[in-house]
Amino acid sequence: MEYRLSPSILSADFLHLADDIEKTKEAGAPYLHFDVMDGDFVPQISFGMPILKAVRKTTDQVLDTHLMIREPERYLKEFASCGADIITFHLEATFHVKDCIDIIHDAGKKAGLAINPETGVAAALPYLQDLDLLLVMSVHPGFGGQKYLPESDRKLKEARKAIDEAGLSEKVELEVDGGINRETVGRAMEAGATCLVAGSAVFGGKQGDVYSSVRYYNDLFTRG
Ligand code: DX5
Ligand code: ZN
């Protein structure tokens, strides 16, 4: 298995965002996770296109964009043109899942589908063939720094099994987002996640600085 860390800049120091991003890059994080919140699908409002454009200019890391917005179909093209590489939207946020995937692919980007803790993996399976990434939320979306929900293990295992059985393990990444830290990363890997989002564990300063945190996870992933 090849594992990847996707540091979520939601917990970064916004006044020194370029410095924080540079540290993740130097330490070898291949992805950067960009959480967009609309104050409607989730209670909070985070950041959007202008920041994405600025971030795009400062790094060549894969911009792993997580849209927590209602009716994402309204904005997909715009996120693509602002420099997102992977565009992940929520199954619960739209009646037009397949159309969203098509819009993202037509824009030349990778399409991800996210499911909330209360949504079963089965709901995402009809779209698996068309996806590049499936995101299993391991917290309720909307805030950084929450605790990993233990039932996420079972969902990740179910998703991993479905991806493997469909022969899609090379194509569809399985991402986990929420509460990933040094204590929980192992169980998420064991359950089958290959792309691991970490916000407060990288930028929160509780377990070392940004550079050494990214290095910690990268070393772990190399050992498998
Ligand atoms: C939560 C966001 C996450 C968040 C994760 O709604 O989607 O990406 O930044 O933060 P941590 O890693 O602190 O749980
Ligand atoms: Zn996220």
Side-chain angles (χ1 to χ4, degrees), residues 6-11 33-37 42 66 68 90 135 137-148 176-181 197-202:
S6 192
S8 165
I9 60 167
L10 188 63
S11 299
H33 188 82
F34 191 89
D35 284 306
V36 182
M37 302 180 181
V42 290
H66 177 194
M68 286 161 272
H90 272 261
L135 168 54
M137 288 305 299
S138 41
V139 297
H140 295 283
F143 305 92
Q146 303 179 71
K147 275 212 169 72
Y148 181 89
V176 62
D177 182 6
I180 296 296
N181 54 37
V197 177
S200 47
V202 168

Side-chain angles (χ1 to χ4, degrees), residues 86-126:
I86 303 171
I87 304 178
T88 297
F89 62 95
H90 272 261
L91 178 71
E92 305 85 1
T94 178
F95 293 112
H96 310 287
V97 174
K98 182 63 168 71
D99 291 344
C100 287
I101 297 172
D102 291 344
I103 296 170
I104 297 168
H105 283 156
D106 287 348
K109 307 297 180 178
K110 287 190 169 178
L113 185 63
I115 53 169
N116 277 343
E118 55 280 351
T119 304
V121 170
L125 296 186

Side-chain angles (χ1 to χ4, degrees), residues 2-221:
E2 204 181 307
Y3 299 98
R4 292 189 181 93
L5 181 70
S6 192
S8 165
I9 60 167
L10 188 63
S11 299
D13 176 356
F14 295 141
L15 286 179
H16 305 94
L17 189 53
D19 296 343
D20 267 2
I21 291 173
E22 183 60 28
K23 284 176 203 153
T24 69
K25 196 171 139 190
E26 268 174 27
Y31 284 18
L32 207 59
H33 188 82
F34 191 89
D35 284 306
V36 182
M37 302 180 181
D38 67 351
D40 180 16
F41 180 68
V42 290
Q44 286 292 335
I45 297 177
S46 58
F47 40 64
M49 287 88 171
I51 308 289
L52 182 60
K53 265 196 223 163
V55 168
R56 176 74 291 169
K57 282 193 199 133
T58 188
T59 183
D60 54 8
Q61 286 160 299
V62 172
L63 295 186
D64 169 28
T65 312
H66 177 194
L67 303 183
M68 286 161 272
I69 63 180
R70 200 171 298 287
E71 294 174 15
E73 54 271 26
R74 295 175 294 157
Y75 297 110
L76 296 169
K77 272 195 196 148
E78 215 176 322
F79 277 104
S81 67
C82 289
D85 295 303
I86 303 171
I87 304 178
T88 297
F89 62 95
H90 272 261
L91 178 71
E92 305 85 1
T94 178
F95 293 112
H96 310 287
V97 174
K98 182 63 168 71
D99 291 344
C100 287
I101 297 172
D102 291 344
I103 296 170
I104 297 168
H105 283 156
D106 287 348
K109 307 297 180 178
K110 287 190 169 178
L113 185 63
I115 53 169
N116 277 343
E118 55 280 351
T119 304
V121 170
L125 296 186
Y127 307 102
L128 208 54
Q129 295 280 347
D130 302 306
L131 293 173
D132 303 288
L133 182 147
L134 177 63
L135 168 54
V136 171
M137 288 305 299
S138 41
V139 297
H140 295 283
F143 305 92
Q146 303 179 71
K147 275 212 169 72
Y148 181 89
L149 295 168
E151 52 277 23
S152 314
D153 293 355
R154 185 189 46 76
K155 289 180 72 179
L156 287 169
K157 281 181 193 155
E158 190 184 340
R160 166 54 51 210
K161 191 163 173 263
I163 291 170
D164 291 351
E165 282 178 2
L168 295 169
S169 49
E170 296 291 309
K171 180 180 177 273
V172 182
E173 285 196 77
L174 181 57
E175 183 171 64
V176 62
D177 182 6
I180 296 296
N181 54 37
R182 294 183 193 207
E183 285 72 47
T184 56
V185 65
R187 66 192 286 175
M189 289 166 75
E190 223 172 87
T194 49
C195 184
L196 297 104
V197 177
S200 47
V202 168
F203 298 106
K206 285 194 195 114
Q207 294 181 315
D209 61 15
V210 175
Y211 182 86
S212 61
S213 299
V214 173
R215 285 301 296 265
Y216 172 86
Y217 294 102
N218 265 6
D219 290 350
L220 185 75
F221 295 167

